[in-house]
Amino acid sequence: MITLGCDYNPEQWPAEVWAEDVALMRSAGIGLVAINVFGWSEIEPRPGEYDFKNLDAIVELLHENGIRVNLGTATASPPPWLAARHPELLPMAADGTRRYPGGRQAWCPSSPVFRAYAGKLVEQVAERYGNHPAVALWHVSNELGCHNALCYCDESAAAFRRWLQARYHTIENLNTSWGTSFWSQRYGDWAEILPPRAALSLRNPAQLLDFRRFSSDELLGWYHAEAAILRQHSTLPITTNFMVTAHIRDLDYWRWAPAMDVIANDHYLDHRLGDPAAELSFAADLTRGLAAGRPWILMEQSTGAVSWQPHNLAKRPGEMLRNTLTHVARGADTICFFQWRASAQGSEKFHSALLPHAGTGTEQWTEVLDLSRALDRLAEVAGSAVEADAAVLFSWESWWAAEQEGRPSTAVDYLGQVHAAYGGLRDLGVTADVVSPDGDLDRYRFVVVPCLYLVSDEQAARIGTFVERGGTVLVTFFSGIADQDDRVRLGGYPGAFRELLGVNAEEFFPLLPETTVTLDDGGTGTLWTERLRATTAEVRASYRDGPLPGVPAITVNRHGRGSAWYIATNLDKTALQRVMSEAAGVAPGHPRDLETVRRYKSGKSYLFLLNHGGTEIEYPATGTDLISGERADGRVRVRPGGVRVLEEERGKRP
Ligand code: GLA
Ligand code: GLA
């Protein structure tokens, strides 16, 4: 079964509405409802005074109607009385100014005061509902670190020092790792160390990097603290909703994932990006990577517009179904929406919901019912797994380090480079896993390493071994430059991969934005070039013009039993596609706009075909469309904007 669910905020509505809500939830086939996510000021209206009357009623109502509860611990947003009593728990920005209540998440992740009050609340909630038969899942806090990930207050400074002491043991080790001989930054005592508060000049990059590591760990520590309380009262699975999305980068979810009983993600289309649907696919594959291939929960998405982008685009007919099936195709077995009923008040009143302001007599509601029916028909897909033989390496640490102050070009953005590489594979019809550089590469044939600026010795060695054993790797520029302390690897770039790639670059030659160089194979490059020499590699293309005419831009090196490609510039889409197709050994010609993914289960395969374009597409396939019931014999047609999920008759991987 694919479960359909949503966030529900009944505290925003009079009690008369609740019964109608739950009746409508039933007609829409809602099976899982997240409540009490922002409930703190309702259930603890005054310090230590708890009032569970309404929450009890909601839990009972859902239970009577056979709807399972995804129960929030309510700690995401403290009530006004807490900050009024304890202003010291308000988070501090890098410039030393406080952030005030009035929005949400106004708490310092290291604040012992916050942790004490929130811990007591979790205790209350866990004790009261830990054994309630309606509760299926614990929802810790909400999007931890969405707004308050980086706090620079004195309490955070103290916690940062403790974290550093555990990491470095001696102040000398810290001085070495941080390179504090530069600009007279040598520390004599732990007490001298501060969070990287706003400074007059560029700040110490190793300090900035460690502060990010610390900040991610600090919130993870708080997750562990909440989970420990829940475990004393309940054996139910515990999770929190990740934000694997384009504009949040503060949490290193590779470190978080093992702490979750089940992986859950929130995803919203981001119309500030060139190709929001491709980013959705990437985020879903990365979420599957975090889930180590097991089914995961889409904890939030929207039926239409959000209310926090500059231009909040609604979804066109069919788009919500396509988005949803992208998540399902890439491993989600539970699909939830934010939120059930569109708010009439508050800063998200223009955010779409399952039940819109205009009510049930709407196209939107009809599409929700259609979606629910479609998911019903996909019941047997649940529990199946995606099997990929290609992978894209992704690292939050490397993201942080690659985008530090004082880098060669601010026009190079890590995620943009990852998306380009991932998009190249997706356009070829190749399904890739997104894996950590610490992950296991043995099961793959082809691995892409985009812009992996920071890489440890072990990670570099693992990539090398993968190639030696016969794998193919494709590395793109600004990879392998620094070690885990953000210390440059000397002797020529890319230090960690020189041998593997059979190249040596002595100098970066980034390009001004809007500048293009041409390559002698007809391709073009932007953003980046480098004075590169092939040592053992074969040169596949060189620059024809720009600052480095005649210098190699694309190379391939035999290494052990495998091969290692290098792309030293930001290739245009067609050129990238060409290299990718040759390197991956996949013929070009996958239909444009057609997203294809397979999930496999006990000798069966389910082929997802999603047409993102405006014209009908024909694709070779045989099987039965689980949604429409139609049979396809050899060829299947996918209408513009349409979807197909074929249960294929061939019971094995094609
Ligand atoms: C996040 C939050 C929700 C809500 C939505 C709006 O995912 O968890 O509370 O704010 O965004 O898009
Ligand atoms: C961030 C999150 C979204 C949503 C908005 C609301 O951008 O990624 O999910 O919560 O904040 O402010």
Side-chain angles (χ1 to χ4, degrees):
M1 189 174 75
I2 307 274
T3 301
L4 180 62
C6 60
D7 274 272
Y8 182 36
N9 297 297
E11 60 276 8
Q12 295 177 16
W13 301 97
E16 304 84 79
V17 179
W18 302 347
E20 180 195 330
D21 278 331
V22 173
L24 286 172
M25 283 176 190
R26 282 185 66 158
S27 64
I30 299 290
L32 182 71
V33 166
I35 52 173
N36 199 39
V37 173
F38 295 103
W40 195 341
S41 70
E42 298 288 320
I43 60 180
E44 192 181 2
R46 278 162 296 280
E49 207 180 281
Y50 299 98
D51 177 358
F52 288 107
K53 191 167 50 54
N54 288 344
L55 190 55
D56 285 351
I58 293 291
V59 170
E60 286 315 319
L61 183 61
L62 290 167
H63 185 46
E64 283 157 20
N65 284 275
I67 297 173
R68 320 274 337 255
V69 171
N70 171 17
L71 190 59
T73 56
T75 56
S77 207
W81 58 253
L82 185 54
R85 277 192 156 196
H86 293 287
E88 72 276 16
L89 61 69
L90 293 173
M92 184 180 276
D95 67 357
T97 57
R98 294 278 180 184
R99 292 295 174 265
Y100 291 92
R104 64 177 173 188
Q105 240 178 38
W107 47 275
C108 159
S110 302
S111 164
V113 176
F114 171 81
R115 289 183 177 218
Y117 278 92
K120 277 188 205 137
L121 179 73
V122 177
E123 183 84 50
Q124 290 286 325
V125 175
E127 229 174 38
R128 192 170 191 92
Y129 302 103
N131 291 309
H132 195 288
V135 181
L137 180 66
W138 289 106
H139 183 298
V140 168
S141 191
N142 187 63
E143 293 191 335
L144 282 160
C146 179
H147 312 280
N148 66 347
L150 306 176
C151 174
Y152 298 79
C153 76
D154 288 342
E155 204 65 73
S156 300
F160 184 36
R161 283 180 211 121
R162 288 192 294 273
W163 184 92
L164 290 168
Q165 272 176 294
R167 184 178 175 91
Y168 294 111
H169 308 293
T170 70
I171 199 82
E172 261 330 295
N173 290 342
L174 176 136
N175 279 312
T176 307
S177 287
W178 283 15
T180 52
S181 303
F182 182 81
W183 282 357
S184 180
Q185 292 172 353
R186 183 160 281 279
Y187 293 96
D189 191 275
W190 297 102
E192 297 161 7
I193 300 172
L194 293 172
R197 291 185 183 145
L200 291 170
S201 64
L202 301 182
R203 293 167 291 175
N204 182 316
Q207 180 185 6
L208 285 162
L209 179 60
D210 269 349
F211 186 64
R212 285 195 161 277
R213 289 176 172 136
F214 151 77
S215 300
S216 172
D217 282 359
E218 196 69 352
L219 279 166
L220 173 56
W222 173 239
Y223 174 86
H224 278 299
E226 285 207 27
I229 300 170
L230 295 173
R231 281 204 184 95
Q232 286 168 12
H233 301 275
S234 160
T235 53
L236 293 172
I238 305 171
T239 192
T240 189
N241 41 351
F242 286 178
M243 298 166 287
V244 174
T245 185
H247 66 290
I248 303 273
R249 67 186 63 178
D250 297 334
L251 298 317
D252 183 349
Y253 288 132
W254 292 126
R255 288 174 65 82
W256 285 54
M260 306 293 129
D261 291 336
V262 54
I263 296 292
N265 192 43
D266 293 352
H267 189 273
Y268 294 94
L269 286 185
D270 193 333
H271 289 283
R272 294 165 291 196
L273 300 172
D275 190 349
E279 190 278 329
L280 190 167
S281 305
F282 172 76
D285 284 344
L286 175 48
T287 306
R288 184 179 71 255
L290 292 163
R294 286 184 289 275
W296 48 275
I297 298 177
L298 180 69
M299 196 67 100
E300 294 182 22
Q301 66 165 340
S302 67
T303 56
V306 299
S307 55
W308 44 267
Q309 291 175 22
H311 313 288
N312 295 298
L313 302 195
K315 292 191 184 178
R316 308 207 180 175
E319 195 173 354
M320 175 177 67
L321 177 63
R322 268 198 325 280
N323 292 166
T324 300
L325 292 192
T326 302
H327 289 293
V328 175
R330 297 178 187 276
D333 277 1
T334 299
I335 297 291
C336 305
F337 286 83
F338 179 86
Q339 60 175 327
W340 165 252
R341 184 186 277 274
S343 300
Q345 293 179 291
S347 43
E348 291 178 336
K349 62 184 181 297
F350 293 120
H351 196 291
S352 61
L354 290 165
L355 184 58
H357 288 154
T360 51
T362 53
E363 301 278 335
Q364 288 176 71
W365 180 249
T366 307
E367 277 205 48
V368 167
L369 299 181
D370 289 348
L371 174 79
S372 176
R373 267 190 296 273
L375 292 180
D376 271 351
R377 293 184 186 146
L378 297 182
E380 63 175 274
V381 172
S384 59
V386 175
E387 291 172 21
D389 65 359
V392 175
L393 294 199
F394 179 81
S395 156
W396 276 276
E397 271 201 327
S398 204
W399 186 356
W400 299 334
E403 296 194 358
Q404 296 271 33
E405 300 168 355
R407 63 189 193 264
S409 168
T410 56
V412 174
D413 78 293
Y414 172 71
L415 198 62
Q417 292 303 312
V418 172
H419 283 164
Y422 173 87
L425 281 175
R426 180 176 176 266
D427 292 348
L428 281 172
V430 174
T431 300
D433 284 346
V434 181
V435 300
S436 152
D438 293 314
D440 177 18
L441 303 180
D442 286 348
R443 73 175 91 153
Y444 303 108
R445 203 174 51 78
F446 182 61
V447 171
V448 185
V449 182
C451 199
L452 193 68
Y453 164 83
L454 177 148
V455 61
S456 68
D457 292 350
E458 299 74 44
Q459 292 167 345
R462 191 170 304 115
I463 295 168
T465 307
F466 164 75
V467 178
E468 276 153 27
R469 291 190 185 152
T472 301
V473 79
L474 187 151
V475 179
T476 73
F477 68 91
F478 213 41
S479 290
I481 305 300
D483 69 10
Q484 66 282 351
D485 295 332
D486 197 13
R487 181 190 290 107
V488 172
R489 294 173 174 279
L490 304 178
Y493 315 120
F497 300 130
R498 266 194 321 261
E499 292 235 347
L500 170 69
L501 299 171
V503 297
N504 192 331
E506 64 182 78
E507 193 175 10
F508 301 140
F509 272 71
L511 303 172
L512 285 173
E514 325 289 310
T515 315
T516 301
V517 290
T518 50
L519 275 60
D520 58 13
D521 69 348
T524 60
T526 49
L527 302 180
W528 194 267
T529 61
E530 53 196 36
R531 197 196 291 274
L532 184 78
R533 191 160 55 77
T535 49
T536 57
E538 174 196 335
V539 177
R540 301 303 292 265
S542 301
Y543 302 107
R544 188 176 291 179
D545 51 23
L548 298 168
V551 165
I554 305 173
T555 59
V556 57
N557 191 42
R558 293 293 309 173
H559 184 82
R561 288 191 281 132
S563 41
W565 292 73
Y566 185 51
I567 303 181
T569 183
N570 182 50
L571 285 181
D572 68 78
K573 235 180 151 186
T574 317
L576 177 66
Q577 184 84 210
R578 207 162 48 223
V579 183
M580 200 68 101
S581 139
E582 192 184 341
V586 174
H590 185 76
R592 237 190 91 195
D593 297 326
L594 186 69
E595 180 165 5
T596 51
V597 189
R598 279 190 173 83
R599 286 181 68 164
Y600 300 87
K601 177 165 93 176
S602 43
K604 278 190 183 171
S605 59
Y606 304 97
L607 171 62
F608 287 73
L609 298 165
L610 314 176
N611 183 352
H612 294 285
T615 50
E616 184 173 275
I617 299 176
E618 258 203 9
Y619 193 76
T622 297
T624 306
D625 183 348
L626 292 176
I627 298 178
S628 69
E630 290 166 279
R631 269 195 51 80
D633 238 324
R635 299 201 75 73
V636 61
R637 290 163 187 275
V638 194
R639 59 174 185 74
V643 299
R644 298 275 194 189
V645 183
L646 291 193
E647 183 188 327
E648 292 177 304
E649 279 154 24
R650 208 162 13 140
K652 53 182 177 353
R653 288 181 72 154

Short mmCIF file of all heavy atoms in Angstrom, two decimals, residues 350-383:
data_model
loop_
_atom_site.label_atom_id
_atom_site.label_comp_id
_atom_site.label_asym_id
_atom_site.label_seq_id
_atom_site.Cartn_x
_atom_site.Cartn_y
_atom_site.Cartn_z
N PHE A 350 -1.43 31.85 2.02
CA PHE A 350 -1.52 31.68 0.57
C PHE A 350 -0.81 30.41 0.09
O PHE A 350 -0.52 30.25 -1.08
CB PHE A 350 -0.99 32.92 -0.16
CG PHE A 350 -1.86 34.13 0.06
CD1 PHE A 350 -1.35 35.28 0.65
CD2 PHE A 350 -3.21 34.09 -0.28
CE1 PHE A 350 -2.16 36.37 0.89
CE2 PHE A 350 -4.03 35.19 -0.06
CZ PHE A 350 -3.51 36.34 0.54
N HIS A 351 -0.50 29.53 1.03
CA HIS A 351 0.13 28.24 0.68
C HIS A 351 -0.98 27.27 0.31
O HIS A 351 -1.99 27.19 0.99
CB HIS A 351 0.90 27.73 1.90
CG HIS A 351 1.88 26.65 1.62
ND1 HIS A 351 1.50 25.38 1.26
CD2 HIS A 351 3.24 26.65 1.66
CE1 HIS A 351 2.60 24.64 1.09
NE2 HIS A 351 3.66 25.39 1.33
N SER A 352 -0.78 26.53 -0.76
CA SER A 352 -1.79 25.57 -1.19
C SER A 352 -1.96 24.45 -0.15
O SER A 352 -1.11 24.28 0.72
CB SER A 352 -1.39 24.95 -2.52
OG SER A 352 -0.14 24.28 -2.37
N ALA A 353 -3.04 23.71 -0.27
CA ALA A 353 -3.32 22.61 0.66
C ALA A 353 -4.19 21.59 -0.06
O ALA A 353 -4.65 21.83 -1.19
CB ALA A 353 -4.04 23.12 1.90
N LEU A 354 -4.39 20.44 0.58
CA LEU A 354 -5.27 19.45 -0.05
C LEU A 354 -6.68 20.01 -0.19
O LEU A 354 -7.34 19.84 -1.22
CB LEU A 354 -5.29 18.16 0.79
CG LEU A 354 -3.99 17.35 0.78
CD1 LEU A 354 -3.97 16.33 1.91
CD2 LEU A 354 -3.79 16.66 -0.56
N LEU A 355 -7.13 20.68 0.88
CA LEU A 355 -8.46 21.29 0.85
C LEU A 355 -8.27 22.80 0.71
O LEU A 355 -7.87 23.46 1.67
CB LEU A 355 -9.21 20.93 2.14
CG LEU A 355 -10.65 21.41 2.26
CD1 LEU A 355 -11.52 20.88 1.13
CD2 LEU A 355 -11.23 20.97 3.61
N PRO A 356 -8.53 23.33 -0.47
CA PRO A 356 -8.21 24.75 -0.70
C PRO A 356 -9.23 25.70 -0.05
O PRO A 356 -10.30 25.26 0.38
CB PRO A 356 -8.24 24.87 -2.23
CG PRO A 356 -9.11 23.76 -2.71
CD PRO A 356 -9.04 22.66 -1.68
N HIS A 357 -8.90 26.99 0.00
CA HIS A 357 -9.84 27.99 0.53
C HIS A 357 -11.21 27.85 -0.13
O HIS A 357 -12.24 28.01 0.52
CB HIS A 357 -9.31 29.41 0.24
CG HIS A 357 -8.11 29.78 1.08
ND1 HIS A 357 -7.19 30.72 0.66
CD2 HIS A 357 -7.69 29.36 2.29
CE1 HIS A 357 -6.24 30.85 1.60
NE2 HIS A 357 -6.52 30.04 2.59
N ALA A 358 -11.20 27.53 -1.42
CA ALA A 358 -12.47 27.50 -2.16
C ALA A 358 -13.28 26.23 -1.88
O ALA A 358 -14.42 26.11 -2.35
CB ALA A 358 -12.20 27.62 -3.66
N GLY A 359 -12.72 25.28 -1.13
CA GLY A 359 -13.51 24.13 -0.72
C GLY A 359 -13.45 22.96 -1.69
O GLY A 359 -12.54 22.85 -2.52
N THR A 360 -14.46 22.09 -1.60
CA THR A 360 -14.41 20.83 -2.34
C THR A 360 -14.96 20.94 -3.77
O THR A 360 -14.71 20.05 -4.58
CB THR A 360 -15.22 19.74 -1.61
OG1 THR A 360 -16.51 20.27 -1.33
CG2 THR A 360 -14.55 19.33 -0.32
N GLY A 361 -15.67 21.99 -4.08
CA GLY A 361 -16.22 22.09 -5.43
C GLY A 361 -15.19 22.63 -6.41
O GLY A 361 -15.48 23.51 -7.21
N THR A 362 -13.97 22.10 -6.34
CA THR A 362 -12.87 22.70 -7.10
C THR A 362 -12.10 21.65 -7.90
O THR A 362 -12.11 20.47 -7.57
CB THR A 362 -11.86 23.36 -6.12
OG1 THR A 362 -11.49 22.38 -5.13
CG2 THR A 362 -12.45 24.55 -5.41
N GLU A 363 -11.43 22.13 -8.92
CA GLU A 363 -10.53 21.25 -9.69
C GLU A 363 -9.45 20.67 -8.77
O GLU A 363 -9.03 19.53 -8.91
CB GLU A 363 -9.81 22.04 -10.79
CG GLU A 363 -10.72 22.72 -11.80
CD GLU A 363 -11.17 21.75 -12.89
OE1 GLU A 363 -10.45 20.77 -13.13
OE2 GLU A 363 -12.26 21.97 -13.45
N GLN A 364 -8.97 21.53 -7.86
CA GLN A 364 -7.90 21.08 -6.97
C GLN A 364 -8.32 19.87 -6.15
O GLN A 364 -7.59 18.91 -6.01
CB GLN A 364 -7.50 22.21 -6.02
CG GLN A 364 -6.74 23.34 -6.66
CD GLN A 364 -6.49 24.46 -5.65
OE1 GLN A 364 -5.69 24.31 -4.73
NE2 GLN A 364 -7.18 25.56 -5.81
N TRP A 365 -9.53 19.95 -5.61
CA TRP A 365 -10.02 18.84 -4.80
C TRP A 365 -10.21 17.59 -5.67
O TRP A 365 -9.87 16.47 -5.27
CB TRP A 365 -11.33 19.25 -4.10
CG TRP A 365 -11.92 18.16 -3.25
CD1 TRP A 365 -13.07 17.48 -3.49
CD2 TRP A 365 -11.37 17.63 -2.03
NE1 TRP A 365 -13.29 16.54 -2.51
CE2 TRP A 365 -12.26 16.62 -1.59
CE3 TRP A 365 -10.25 17.89 -1.27
CZ2 TRP A 365 -12.05 15.88 -0.43
CZ3 TRP A 365 -10.03 17.16 -0.11
CH2 TRP A 365 -10.92 16.16 0.30
N THR A 366 -10.73 17.80 -6.88
CA THR A 366 -10.91 16.68 -7.79
C THR A 366 -9.57 16.00 -8.08
O THR A 366 -9.46 14.78 -8.10
CB THR A 366 -11.54 17.16 -9.11
OG1 THR A 366 -12.71 17.90 -8.77
CG2 THR A 366 -11.91 16.03 -10.03
N GLU A 367 -8.54 16.83 -8.27
CA GLU A 367 -7.21 16.24 -8.53
C GLU A 367 -6.69 15.46 -7.33
O GLU A 367 -5.99 14.46 -7.48
CB GLU A 367 -6.19 17.32 -8.93
CG GLU A 367 -6.27 17.67 -10.40
CD GLU A 367 -4.97 18.25 -10.96
OE1 GLU A 367 -3.89 17.66 -10.71
OE2 GLU A 367 -5.04 19.29 -11.63
N VAL A 368 -7.02 15.95 -6.13
CA VAL A 368 -6.61 15.23 -4.92
C VAL A 368 -7.27 13.85 -4.89
O VAL A 368 -6.63 12.83 -4.62
CB VAL A 368 -6.96 16.05 -3.66
CG1 VAL A 368 -6.82 15.20 -2.40
CG2 VAL A 368 -6.07 17.29 -3.57
N LEU A 369 -8.57 13.81 -5.20
CA LEU A 369 -9.27 12.52 -5.21
C LEU A 369 -8.69 11.60 -6.28
O LEU A 369 -8.52 10.40 -6.06
CB LEU A 369 -10.77 12.73 -5.41
CG LEU A 369 -11.49 13.57 -4.34
CD1 LEU A 369 -12.99 13.66 -4.65
CD2 LEU A 369 -11.28 13.00 -2.93
N ASP A 370 -8.37 12.18 -7.44
CA ASP A 370 -7.76 11.38 -8.52
C ASP A 370 -6.41 10.81 -8.08
O ASP A 370 -6.09 9.66 -8.35
CB ASP A 370 -7.53 12.23 -9.78
CG ASP A 370 -8.85 12.58 -10.47
OD1 ASP A 370 -9.88 11.97 -10.11
OD2 ASP A 370 -8.84 13.47 -11.34
N LEU A 371 -5.64 11.67 -7.42
CA LEU A 371 -4.32 11.23 -6.96
C LEU A 371 -4.48 10.06 -5.99
O LEU A 371 -3.77 9.07 -6.05
CB LEU A 371 -3.59 12.39 -6.27
CG LEU A 371 -2.26 11.99 -5.63
CD1 LEU A 371 -1.17 11.88 -6.68
CD2 LEU A 371 -1.83 12.98 -4.56
N SER A 372 -5.43 10.21 -5.10
CA SER A 372 -5.66 9.18 -4.09
C SER A 372 -6.01 7.85 -4.77
O SER A 372 -5.49 6.79 -4.40
CB SER A 372 -6.78 9.64 -3.16
OG SER A 372 -7.08 8.64 -2.25
N ARG A 373 -6.86 7.91 -5.79
CA ARG A 373 -7.22 6.68 -6.52
C ARG A 373 -6.01 6.08 -7.23
O ARG A 373 -5.79 4.88 -7.21
CB ARG A 373 -8.32 6.98 -7.54
CG ARG A 373 -9.73 6.74 -7.00
CD ARG A 373 -10.76 6.82 -8.10
NE ARG A 373 -10.81 8.17 -8.67
CZ ARG A 373 -11.56 9.15 -8.18
NH1 ARG A 373 -12.33 8.95 -7.14
NH2 ARG A 373 -11.54 10.35 -8.74
N ALA A 374 -5.20 6.96 -7.83
CA ALA A 374 -4.01 6.47 -8.54
C ALA A 374 -3.09 5.75 -7.56
O ALA A 374 -2.57 4.66 -7.86
CB ALA A 374 -3.28 7.62 -9.23
N LEU A 375 -2.90 6.34 -6.38
CA LEU A 375 -2.00 5.70 -5.40
C LEU A 375 -2.56 4.36 -4.93
O LEU A 375 -1.82 3.41 -4.71
CB LEU A 375 -1.74 6.63 -4.21
CG LEU A 375 -0.91 7.89 -4.53
CD1 LEU A 375 -0.73 8.74 -3.28
CD2 LEU A 375 0.46 7.54 -5.13
N ASP A 376 -3.90 4.29 -4.81
CA ASP A 376 -4.52 3.01 -4.46
C ASP A 376 -4.14 1.93 -5.45
O ASP A 376 -3.87 0.79 -5.08
CB ASP A 376 -6.05 3.14 -4.52
CG ASP A 376 -6.61 3.59 -3.20
OD1 ASP A 376 -5.83 3.63 -2.22
OD2 ASP A 376 -7.82 3.92 -3.15
N ARG A 377 -4.16 2.31 -6.73
CA ARG A 377 -3.87 1.31 -7.77
C ARG A 377 -2.40 0.90 -7.80
O ARG A 377 -2.05 -0.09 -8.42
CB ARG A 377 -4.30 1.85 -9.12
CG ARG A 377 -5.80 1.99 -9.16
CD ARG A 377 -6.32 2.43 -10.50
NE ARG A 377 -7.74 2.67 -10.36
CZ ARG A 377 -8.42 3.59 -11.00
NH1 ARG A 377 -7.79 4.38 -11.85
NH2 ARG A 377 -9.70 3.74 -10.80
N LEU A 378 -1.57 1.71 -7.15
CA LEU A 378 -0.13 1.38 -7.13
C LEU A 378 0.26 0.59 -5.90
O LEU A 378 1.44 0.40 -5.62
CB LEU A 378 0.70 2.66 -7.20
CG LEU A 378 0.53 3.49 -8.47
CD1 LEU A 378 1.44 4.70 -8.44
CD2 LEU A 378 0.84 2.65 -9.70
N ALA A 379 -0.75 0.11 -5.16
CA ALA A 379 -0.49 -0.55 -3.87
C ALA A 379 0.66 -1.55 -3.94
O ALA A 379 1.52 -1.58 -3.07
CB ALA A 379 -1.76 -1.23 -3.38
N GLU A 380 0.67 -2.37 -5.01
CA GLU A 380 1.66 -3.45 -5.03
C GLU A 380 3.09 -2.96 -5.25
O GLU A 380 4.04 -3.72 -5.07
CB GLU A 380 1.30 -4.49 -6.08
CG GLU A 380 1.31 -3.95 -7.49
CD GLU A 380 1.06 -5.07 -8.51
OE1 GLU A 380 2.03 -5.72 -8.88
OE2 GLU A 380 -0.11 -5.27 -8.88
N VAL A 381 3.24 -1.69 -5.66
CA VAL A 381 4.58 -1.14 -5.88
C VAL A 381 5.32 -0.99 -4.54
O VAL A 381 6.55 -1.05 -4.47
CB VAL A 381 4.49 0.22 -6.61
CG1 VAL A 381 5.85 0.90 -6.66
CG2 VAL A 381 3.92 0.03 -8.01
N ALA A 382 4.55 -0.80 -3.47
CA ALA A 382 5.16 -0.56 -2.16
C ALA A 382 6.11 -1.69 -1.81
O ALA A 382 5.83 -2.86 -2.06
CB ALA A 382 4.08 -0.44 -1.09
N GLY A 383 7.25 -1.32 -1.26
CA GLY A 383 8.22 -2.33 -0.84
C GLY A 383 9.20 -2.72 -1.94
O GLY A 383 10.17 -3.42 -1.68
#
